[in-house]
Short mmCIF file of all heavy atoms in Angstrom, two decimals:
data_model
loop_
_atom_site.label_atom_id
_atom_site.label_comp_id
_atom_site.label_asym_id
_atom_site.label_seq_id
_atom_site.Cartn_x
_atom_site.Cartn_y
_atom_site.Cartn_z
N LEU T 40 -3.13 -0.72 -10.64
CA LEU T 40 -4.00 -1.14 -11.74
C LEU T 40 -5.16 -0.15 -11.85
O LEU T 40 -5.95 0.02 -10.91
CB LEU T 40 -4.51 -2.57 -11.51
CG LEU T 40 -3.45 -3.66 -11.55
CD1 LEU T 40 -4.09 -5.05 -11.51
CD2 LEU T 40 -2.58 -3.54 -12.79
N LEU T 41 -5.22 0.50 -12.99
CA LEU T 41 -6.26 1.51 -13.23
C LEU T 41 -7.57 0.82 -13.67
O LEU T 41 -7.51 -0.22 -14.28
CB LEU T 41 -5.81 2.48 -14.32
CG LEU T 41 -4.56 3.30 -13.97
CD1 LEU T 41 -4.17 4.17 -15.17
CD2 LEU T 41 -4.79 4.15 -12.74
N LYS T 42 -8.69 1.47 -13.41
CA LYS T 42 -8.80 2.66 -12.60
C LYS T 42 -9.17 2.30 -11.17
O LYS T 42 -9.10 3.14 -10.27
CB LYS T 42 -9.91 3.57 -13.16
CG LYS T 42 -9.68 3.99 -14.58
CD LYS T 42 -10.93 4.71 -15.12
CE LYS T 42 -10.80 4.95 -16.61
NZ LYS T 42 -12.09 5.30 -17.21
N GLY T 43 -9.59 1.05 -10.99
CA GLY T 43 -10.19 0.63 -9.73
C GLY T 43 -9.33 0.81 -8.49
O GLY T 43 -9.84 1.05 -7.41
N ALA T 44 -8.00 0.68 -8.65
CA ALA T 44 -7.12 0.73 -7.48
C ALA T 44 -6.65 2.14 -7.13
O ALA T 44 -5.87 2.33 -6.19
CB ALA T 44 -5.91 -0.19 -7.68
N VAL T 66 -5.37 -2.39 -17.51
CA VAL T 66 -5.74 -3.71 -18.01
C VAL T 66 -7.26 -3.78 -18.05
O VAL T 66 -7.94 -3.12 -17.27
CB VAL T 66 -5.19 -4.86 -17.13
CG1 VAL T 66 -3.67 -4.87 -17.14
CG2 VAL T 66 -5.71 -4.78 -15.71
N ALA T 67 -7.77 -4.55 -18.96
CA ALA T 67 -9.22 -4.72 -19.05
C ALA T 67 -9.55 -6.17 -18.80
O ALA T 67 -8.99 -7.06 -19.42
CB ALA T 67 -9.72 -4.29 -20.42
N SER T 68 -10.45 -6.38 -17.84
CA SER T 68 -10.86 -7.76 -17.58
C SER T 68 -12.37 -7.83 -17.37
O SER T 68 -12.94 -8.89 -17.39
CB SER T 68 -10.16 -8.32 -16.35
OG SER T 68 -10.49 -7.55 -15.22
N TYR T 69 -12.97 -6.65 -17.23
CA TYR T 69 -14.38 -6.66 -16.84
C TYR T 69 -15.30 -6.07 -17.89
O TYR T 69 -16.46 -6.41 -17.98
CB TYR T 69 -14.55 -5.89 -15.52
CG TYR T 69 -15.21 -6.70 -14.46
CD1 TYR T 69 -14.57 -7.80 -13.90
CD2 TYR T 69 -16.48 -6.40 -14.02
CE1 TYR T 69 -15.17 -8.57 -12.94
CE2 TYR T 69 -17.11 -7.15 -13.05
CZ TYR T 69 -16.44 -8.23 -12.51
OH TYR T 69 -17.04 -8.98 -11.54
N HIS T 70 -14.81 -5.15 -18.63
CA HIS T 70 -15.55 -4.53 -19.72
C HIS T 70 -16.92 -3.98 -19.33
O HIS T 70 -17.90 -4.09 -20.07
CB HIS T 70 -15.65 -5.48 -20.91
CG HIS T 70 -14.31 -5.98 -21.35
ND1 HIS T 70 -13.38 -5.16 -21.94
CD2 HIS T 70 -13.73 -7.19 -21.22
CE1 HIS T 70 -12.29 -5.87 -22.17
NE2 HIS T 70 -12.46 -7.09 -21.73
N ALA T 72 -19.45 -4.61 -17.26
CA ALA T 72 -20.62 -5.27 -16.68
C ALA T 72 -20.32 -5.76 -15.27
O ALA T 72 -19.33 -5.37 -14.67
CB ALA T 72 -21.04 -6.43 -17.57
N THR T 73 -21.16 -6.61 -14.72
CA THR T 73 -20.92 -7.08 -13.35
C THR T 73 -20.34 -8.48 -13.32
O THR T 73 -20.27 -9.10 -12.28
CB THR T 73 -22.23 -7.07 -12.53
OG1 THR T 73 -23.18 -7.89 -13.18
CG2 THR T 73 -22.77 -5.66 -12.37
N THR T 74 -19.96 -9.01 -14.46
CA THR T 74 -19.32 -10.32 -14.48
C THR T 74 -18.04 -10.27 -15.30
O THR T 74 -17.92 -9.48 -16.23
CB THR T 74 -20.25 -11.39 -15.09
OG1 THR T 74 -20.71 -10.92 -16.35
CG2 THR T 74 -21.42 -11.68 -14.19
N SER T 75 -17.11 -11.13 -14.97
CA SER T 75 -15.82 -11.16 -15.66
C SER T 75 -15.95 -11.92 -16.98
O SER T 75 -16.66 -12.90 -17.08
CB SER T 75 -14.79 -11.84 -14.76
OG SER T 75 -13.58 -12.00 -15.45
N CYS T 76 -15.24 -11.44 -17.98
CA CYS T 76 -15.33 -12.12 -19.29
C CYS T 76 -14.21 -13.15 -19.46
O CYS T 76 -14.19 -13.90 -20.42
CB CYS T 76 -15.29 -11.11 -20.43
SG CYS T 76 -13.65 -10.50 -20.75
N GLY T 77 -13.28 -13.16 -18.52
CA GLY T 77 -12.28 -14.22 -18.56
C GLY T 77 -10.96 -13.86 -19.22
O GLY T 77 -9.95 -14.48 -18.95
N LYS T 78 -10.95 -12.85 -20.08
CA LYS T 78 -9.73 -12.51 -20.78
C LYS T 78 -9.13 -11.24 -20.18
O LYS T 78 -9.85 -10.34 -19.79
CB LYS T 78 -10.08 -12.28 -22.26
CG LYS T 78 -8.88 -12.22 -23.17
CD LYS T 78 -9.37 -12.26 -24.62
CE LYS T 78 -8.27 -11.87 -25.57
NZ LYS T 78 -7.96 -10.43 -25.51
N VAL T 79 -7.80 -11.18 -20.11
CA VAL T 79 -7.14 -9.99 -19.59
C VAL T 79 -6.33 -9.34 -20.70
O VAL T 79 -5.46 -9.97 -21.29
CB VAL T 79 -6.22 -10.35 -18.40
CG1 VAL T 79 -5.48 -9.12 -17.90
CG2 VAL T 79 -7.03 -10.98 -17.27
N LEU T 97 -0.84 -3.22 -6.88
CA LEU T 97 -2.06 -2.85 -6.16
C LEU T 97 -3.29 -3.02 -7.05
O LEU T 97 -3.35 -2.48 -8.15
CB LEU T 97 -2.00 -1.39 -5.70
CG LEU T 97 -0.85 -0.99 -4.79
CD1 LEU T 97 -1.01 0.48 -4.37
CD2 LEU T 97 -0.80 -1.89 -3.54
N ASP T 98 -4.27 -3.75 -6.57
CA ASP T 98 -5.54 -3.83 -7.28
C ASP T 98 -6.68 -3.62 -6.29
O ASP T 98 -6.50 -3.73 -5.07
CB ASP T 98 -5.69 -5.17 -8.01
CG ASP T 98 -6.73 -5.08 -9.14
OD1 ASP T 98 -7.24 -3.98 -9.41
OD2 ASP T 98 -7.04 -6.12 -9.75
N ASP T 99 -7.85 -3.31 -6.85
CA ASP T 99 -8.98 -3.02 -5.98
C ASP T 99 -9.56 -4.28 -5.35
O ASP T 99 -9.81 -4.34 -4.16
CB ASP T 99 -10.07 -2.24 -6.74
CG ASP T 99 -10.46 -2.88 -8.08
OD1 ASP T 99 -9.93 -3.95 -8.43
OD2 ASP T 99 -11.30 -2.29 -8.78
N ILE T 100 -9.75 -5.32 -6.20
CA ILE T 100 -10.48 -6.48 -5.69
C ILE T 100 -10.02 -7.76 -6.40
O ILE T 100 -9.74 -7.74 -7.60
CB ILE T 100 -12.01 -6.26 -5.85
CG1 ILE T 100 -12.83 -7.38 -5.21
CG2 ILE T 100 -12.41 -6.05 -7.30
CD1 ILE T 100 -14.31 -7.02 -5.03
N LEU T 101 -9.93 -8.80 -5.62
CA LEU T 101 -9.59 -10.12 -6.15
C LEU T 101 -10.91 -10.88 -6.31
O LEU T 101 -11.58 -11.18 -5.32
CB LEU T 101 -8.66 -10.82 -5.16
CG LEU T 101 -7.99 -12.13 -5.54
CD1 LEU T 101 -7.21 -12.02 -6.83
CD2 LEU T 101 -7.07 -12.57 -4.41
N ASP T 102 -11.25 -11.17 -7.55
CA ASP T 102 -12.53 -11.84 -7.82
C ASP T 102 -12.22 -13.22 -8.40
O ASP T 102 -11.96 -14.16 -7.65
CB ASP T 102 -13.35 -10.96 -8.77
CG ASP T 102 -14.72 -11.54 -9.07
OD1 ASP T 102 -15.16 -12.44 -8.34
OD2 ASP T 102 -15.36 -11.08 -10.03
N THR T 103 -12.18 -13.36 -9.72
CA THR T 103 -11.80 -14.65 -10.29
C THR T 103 -10.31 -14.90 -10.13
O THR T 103 -9.85 -16.03 -10.20
CB THR T 103 -12.12 -14.72 -11.81
OG1 THR T 103 -11.29 -13.77 -12.49
CG2 THR T 103 -13.58 -14.41 -12.08
N GLY T 104 -9.54 -13.82 -9.97
CA GLY T 104 -8.09 -13.93 -9.84
C GLY T 104 -7.36 -13.78 -11.17
O GLY T 104 -6.13 -13.71 -11.20
N ARG T 105 -8.09 -13.72 -12.27
CA ARG T 105 -7.44 -13.69 -13.59
C ARG T 105 -6.57 -12.46 -13.79
O ARG T 105 -5.49 -12.53 -14.36
CB ARG T 105 -8.50 -13.75 -14.70
CG ARG T 105 -9.14 -15.12 -14.82
CD ARG T 105 -9.95 -15.20 -16.10
NE ARG T 105 -10.57 -16.50 -16.25
CZ ARG T 105 -11.83 -16.76 -15.93
NH1 ARG T 105 -12.60 -15.80 -15.44
NH2 ARG T 105 -12.33 -17.97 -16.08
N THR T 106 -7.06 -11.31 -13.33
CA THR T 106 -6.30 -10.07 -13.53
C THR T 106 -4.96 -10.15 -12.80
O THR T 106 -3.90 -9.95 -13.40
CB THR T 106 -7.10 -8.86 -13.00
OG1 THR T 106 -8.38 -8.84 -13.63
CG2 THR T 106 -6.37 -7.56 -13.28
N LEU T 107 -5.02 -10.44 -11.52
CA LEU T 107 -3.79 -10.48 -10.72
C LEU T 107 -2.83 -11.54 -11.26
O LEU T 107 -1.63 -11.30 -11.39
CB LEU T 107 -4.16 -10.78 -9.26
CG LEU T 107 -3.36 -10.04 -8.20
CD1 LEU T 107 -3.49 -8.54 -8.40
CD2 LEU T 107 -3.83 -10.42 -6.81
N HIS T 108 -3.37 -12.68 -11.61
CA HIS T 108 -2.56 -13.77 -12.14
C HIS T 108 -1.83 -13.33 -13.41
O HIS T 108 -0.61 -13.52 -13.54
CB HIS T 108 -3.45 -14.97 -12.42
CG HIS T 108 -2.72 -16.15 -12.98
ND1 HIS T 108 -2.00 -17.02 -12.20
CD2 HIS T 108 -2.58 -16.58 -14.26
CE1 HIS T 108 -1.45 -17.94 -12.96
NE2 HIS T 108 -1.79 -17.70 -14.22
N ALA T 109 -2.56 -12.72 -14.33
CA ALA T 109 -1.97 -12.31 -15.61
C ALA T 109 -0.91 -11.23 -15.40
O ALA T 109 0.15 -11.25 -16.03
CB ALA T 109 -3.07 -11.80 -16.55
N VAL T 126 -4.46 -6.14 -2.31
CA VAL T 126 -5.80 -5.79 -2.79
C VAL T 126 -6.61 -5.25 -1.61
O VAL T 126 -6.43 -5.69 -0.47
CB VAL T 126 -6.54 -7.00 -3.41
CG1 VAL T 126 -5.87 -7.45 -4.71
CG2 VAL T 126 -6.63 -8.17 -2.44
N LEU T 128 -9.89 -5.57 -1.43
CA LEU T 128 -10.94 -6.55 -1.16
C LEU T 128 -10.61 -7.89 -1.81
O LEU T 128 -9.99 -7.93 -2.88
CB LEU T 128 -12.28 -6.08 -1.73
CG LEU T 128 -12.75 -4.69 -1.31
CD1 LEU T 128 -13.95 -4.28 -2.15
CD2 LEU T 128 -13.11 -4.67 0.17
N LYS T 130 -12.86 -11.47 -2.71
CA LYS T 130 -14.14 -12.17 -2.58
C LYS T 130 -13.89 -13.59 -2.10
O LYS T 130 -12.99 -14.28 -2.58
CB LYS T 130 -14.86 -12.20 -3.92
CG LYS T 130 -15.46 -10.86 -4.27
CD LYS T 130 -16.37 -10.94 -5.47
CE LYS T 130 -16.82 -9.54 -5.84
NZ LYS T 130 -17.56 -9.50 -7.11
N LYS T 132 -14.56 -16.79 -2.48
CA LYS T 132 -15.10 -17.71 -3.47
C LYS T 132 -13.94 -18.45 -4.13
O LYS T 132 -12.80 -18.00 -4.04
CB LYS T 132 -15.90 -16.94 -4.53
CG LYS T 132 -15.01 -16.03 -5.38
CD LYS T 132 -15.82 -15.12 -6.29
CE LYS T 132 -16.00 -15.66 -7.67
NZ LYS T 132 -16.49 -14.64 -8.61
N ARG T 134 -11.32 -19.33 -6.84
CA ARG T 134 -10.75 -18.55 -7.94
C ARG T 134 -10.73 -19.39 -9.23
O ARG T 134 -10.57 -20.60 -9.17
CB ARG T 134 -9.31 -18.14 -7.62
CG ARG T 134 -9.12 -17.50 -6.27
CD ARG T 134 -9.34 -16.00 -6.29
NE ARG T 134 -9.26 -15.50 -4.93
CZ ARG T 134 -10.27 -14.92 -4.28
NH1 ARG T 134 -11.41 -14.72 -4.86
NH2 ARG T 134 -10.12 -14.51 -3.03
N ALA T 135 -10.82 -18.71 -10.36
CA ALA T 135 -10.73 -19.40 -11.66
C ALA T 135 -9.29 -19.84 -11.92
O ALA T 135 -9.05 -20.80 -12.64
CB ALA T 135 -11.21 -18.47 -12.77
N VAL T 136 -8.34 -19.10 -11.34
CA VAL T 136 -6.93 -19.46 -11.47
C VAL T 136 -6.31 -19.43 -10.08
O VAL T 136 -6.85 -18.79 -9.18
CB VAL T 136 -6.17 -18.47 -12.39
CG1 VAL T 136 -6.64 -18.59 -13.82
CG2 VAL T 136 -6.33 -17.04 -11.89
N VAL T 138 -4.22 -18.06 -7.52
CA VAL T 138 -3.51 -16.82 -7.19
C VAL T 138 -4.03 -16.32 -5.84
O VAL T 138 -5.19 -16.55 -5.50
CB VAL T 138 -3.71 -15.74 -8.29
CG1 VAL T 138 -5.16 -15.27 -8.33
CG2 VAL T 138 -2.77 -14.56 -8.11
N ILE T 147 -14.67 -10.27 1.52
CA ILE T 147 -16.11 -10.01 1.44
C ILE T 147 -16.80 -11.20 0.78
O ILE T 147 -16.13 -12.06 0.21
CB ILE T 147 -16.44 -8.72 0.64
CG1 ILE T 147 -15.97 -8.84 -0.82
CG2 ILE T 147 -15.82 -7.49 1.31
CD1 ILE T 147 -16.51 -7.73 -1.72
N GLY T 148 -18.13 -11.22 0.86
CA GLY T 148 -18.89 -12.30 0.22
C GLY T 148 -18.86 -12.13 -1.30
O GLY T 148 -18.34 -11.15 -1.82
N ASP T 149 -19.44 -13.09 -1.98
CA ASP T 149 -19.43 -13.06 -3.44
C ASP T 149 -20.59 -12.22 -3.96
O ASP T 149 -21.61 -12.73 -4.40
CB ASP T 149 -19.52 -14.49 -3.98
CG ASP T 149 -19.35 -14.54 -5.48
OD1 ASP T 149 -18.96 -13.51 -6.07
OD2 ASP T 149 -19.61 -15.60 -6.07
N GLU T 150 -20.43 -10.90 -3.83
CA GLU T 150 -21.45 -9.99 -4.37
C GLU T 150 -20.76 -8.80 -5.02
O GLU T 150 -19.61 -8.51 -4.72
CB GLU T 150 -22.44 -9.54 -3.29
CG GLU T 150 -21.80 -8.82 -2.12
CD GLU T 150 -22.83 -8.52 -1.03
OE1 GLU T 150 -24.04 -8.49 -1.30
OE2 GLU T 150 -22.39 -8.32 0.12
N PHE T 151 -21.47 -8.14 -5.90
CA PHE T 151 -20.89 -7.02 -6.64
C PHE T 151 -20.91 -5.76 -5.79
O PHE T 151 -21.96 -5.35 -5.30
CB PHE T 151 -21.66 -6.80 -7.95
CG PHE T 151 -20.98 -5.83 -8.86
CD1 PHE T 151 -19.91 -6.23 -9.65
CD2 PHE T 151 -21.38 -4.50 -8.91
CE1 PHE T 151 -19.27 -5.33 -10.49
CE2 PHE T 151 -20.75 -3.60 -9.74
CZ PHE T 151 -19.69 -4.01 -10.52
N VAL T 152 -19.75 -5.14 -5.62
CA VAL T 152 -19.65 -3.95 -4.78
C VAL T 152 -19.13 -2.75 -5.57
O VAL T 152 -18.48 -2.91 -6.60
CB VAL T 152 -18.72 -4.19 -3.56
CG1 VAL T 152 -19.32 -5.25 -2.63
CG2 VAL T 152 -17.32 -4.61 -4.01
N VAL T 153 -19.43 -1.57 -5.07
CA VAL T 153 -18.93 -0.33 -5.68
C VAL T 153 -18.40 0.59 -4.59
O VAL T 153 -18.63 0.39 -3.40
CB VAL T 153 -20.05 0.42 -6.47
CG1 VAL T 153 -20.53 -0.39 -7.65
CG2 VAL T 153 -21.21 0.82 -5.55
N GLY T 154 -17.71 1.63 -5.04
CA GLY T 154 -17.21 2.66 -4.13
C GLY T 154 -15.73 2.52 -3.84
O GLY T 154 -15.12 1.49 -4.14
N GLY T 156 -13.22 3.56 -5.31
CA GLY T 156 -12.48 3.22 -6.52
C GLY T 156 -13.19 2.25 -7.45
O GLY T 156 -12.95 2.22 -8.64
N LEU T 157 -14.08 1.45 -6.87
CA LEU T 157 -14.76 0.43 -7.69
C LEU T 157 -16.01 1.02 -8.35
O LEU T 157 -16.77 1.75 -7.72
CB LEU T 157 -15.15 -0.76 -6.83
CG LEU T 157 -13.96 -1.58 -6.35
CD1 LEU T 157 -13.77 -1.41 -4.87
CD2 LEU T 157 -14.12 -3.05 -6.72
N ASP T 158 -16.19 0.67 -9.61
CA ASP T 158 -17.27 1.28 -10.39
C ASP T 158 -18.35 0.29 -10.78
O ASP T 158 -18.17 -0.93 -10.74
CB ASP T 158 -16.71 1.86 -11.69
CG ASP T 158 -16.32 0.77 -12.69
OD1 ASP T 158 -15.58 -0.15 -12.29
OD2 ASP T 158 -16.78 0.83 -13.84
N TYR T 159 -19.47 0.86 -11.19
CA TYR T 159 -20.44 0.12 -11.98
C TYR T 159 -20.69 0.97 -13.22
O TYR T 159 -21.16 2.11 -13.10
CB TYR T 159 -21.74 -0.12 -11.21
CG TYR T 159 -22.80 -0.79 -12.06
CD1 TYR T 159 -22.55 -2.03 -12.64
CD2 TYR T 159 -24.02 -0.18 -12.30
CE1 TYR T 159 -23.50 -2.64 -13.43
CE2 TYR T 159 -24.97 -0.79 -13.09
CZ TYR T 159 -24.71 -2.03 -13.66
OH TYR T 159 -25.65 -2.62 -14.47
N LEU T 160 -20.30 0.46 -14.37
CA LEU T 160 -20.41 1.20 -15.64
C LEU T 160 -19.82 2.60 -15.52
O LEU T 160 -20.41 3.58 -15.99
CB LEU T 160 -21.88 1.27 -16.09
CG LEU T 160 -22.57 -0.09 -16.31
CD1 LEU T 160 -24.01 0.09 -16.78
CD2 LEU T 160 -21.79 -0.96 -17.30
N ARG T 162 -19.40 4.50 -12.92
CA ARG T 162 -19.89 5.37 -11.85
C ARG T 162 -19.54 4.82 -10.47
O ARG T 162 -19.14 3.67 -10.33
CB ARG T 162 -21.40 5.53 -11.96
CG ARG T 162 -21.83 6.20 -13.26
CD ARG T 162 -23.34 6.31 -13.31
NE ARG T 162 -23.86 7.13 -12.21
CZ ARG T 162 -25.13 7.14 -11.80
NH1 ARG T 162 -26.01 6.38 -12.40
NH2 ARG T 162 -25.52 7.92 -10.82
N TYR T 163 -19.72 5.65 -9.48
CA TYR T 163 -19.62 5.31 -8.04
C TYR T 163 -18.19 5.18 -7.51
O TYR T 163 -18.00 4.86 -6.35
CB TYR T 163 -20.39 4.02 -7.71
CG TYR T 163 -21.82 4.02 -8.20
CD1 TYR T 163 -22.20 3.27 -9.31
CD2 TYR T 163 -22.78 4.80 -7.58
CE1 TYR T 163 -23.50 3.27 -9.78
CE2 TYR T 163 -24.10 4.81 -8.02
CZ TYR T 163 -24.44 4.04 -9.13
OH TYR T 163 -25.74 4.06 -9.59
N ARG T 164 -17.18 5.43 -8.33
CA ARG T 164 -15.80 5.26 -7.86
C ARG T 164 -15.47 6.20 -6.70
O ARG T 164 -14.63 5.91 -5.87
CB ARG T 164 -14.80 5.53 -8.99
CG ARG T 164 -14.81 4.50 -10.10
CD ARG T 164 -13.59 4.67 -10.98
NE ARG T 164 -13.72 4.05 -12.28
CZ ARG T 164 -13.47 2.77 -12.55
NH1 ARG T 164 -13.10 1.96 -11.58
NH2 ARG T 164 -13.62 2.29 -13.77
N GLY T 170 -19.91 -0.28 -0.93
CA GLY T 170 -21.32 -0.58 -0.76
C GLY T 170 -21.86 -1.48 -1.85
O GLY T 170 -21.19 -1.77 -2.84
N LEU T 172 -25.03 -2.04 -4.54
CA LEU T 172 -26.05 -1.29 -5.26
C LEU T 172 -27.42 -1.91 -5.08
O LEU T 172 -27.55 -3.13 -4.93
CB LEU T 172 -25.72 -1.27 -6.76
CG LEU T 172 -24.61 -0.36 -7.24
CD1 LEU T 172 -24.34 -0.62 -8.72
CD2 LEU T 172 -24.98 1.11 -7.02
P1 5GP C 1 -10.73 -10.73 -11.53
O1 5GP C 1 -9.78 -10.68 -12.68
O2 5GP C 1 -10.08 -11.11 -10.21
O3 5GP C 1 -11.94 -11.56 -11.82
O4 5GP C 1 -11.37 -9.32 -11.37
C1 5GP C 1 -10.65 -8.25 -11.06
C2 5GP C 1 -11.31 -6.99 -11.59
O5 5GP C 1 -12.70 -7.16 -11.81
C3 5GP C 1 -11.18 -5.92 -10.56
O6 5GP C 1 -10.00 -5.20 -10.75
C4 5GP C 1 -12.42 -5.10 -10.78
O7 5GP C 1 -12.18 -4.10 -11.75
C5 5GP C 1 -13.43 -6.06 -11.33
N1 5GP C 1 -14.35 -6.53 -10.27
C6 5GP C 1 -14.42 -7.76 -9.73
N2 5GP C 1 -15.38 -7.83 -8.79
C7 5GP C 1 -15.92 -6.60 -8.73
C8 5GP C 1 -16.96 -6.03 -7.92
O8 5GP C 1 -17.58 -6.64 -7.05
N3 5GP C 1 -17.23 -4.72 -8.16
C9 5GP C 1 -16.59 -3.98 -9.09
N4 5GP C 1 -16.96 -2.71 -9.23
N5 5GP C 1 -15.61 -4.47 -9.86
C10 5GP C 1 -15.28 -5.78 -9.67
#
Side-chain angles (χ1 to χ4, degrees):
L40 295 188
L41 297 177
K42 301 172 189 165
V66 296
S68 60
Y69 235 68
H70 306 291
T73 58
T74 52
S75 174
C76 78
K78 193 169 166 288
V79 177
L97 302 183
D98 201 6
D99 51 2
I100 186 166
L101 189 55
D102 182 16
T103 66
R105 288 192 180 98
T106 305
L107 218 58
H108 180 80
V126 293
L128 306 170
K130 286 190 185 172
K132 66 188 265 194
R134 310 272 175 244
V136 292
V138 67
I147 63 168
D149 187 11
E150 59 185 339
F151 190 80
V152 295
V153 295
L157 291 110
D158 73 309
Y159 175 59
L160 301 181
R162 297 179 61 197
Y163 309 106
R164 291 193 199 276
L172 284 173

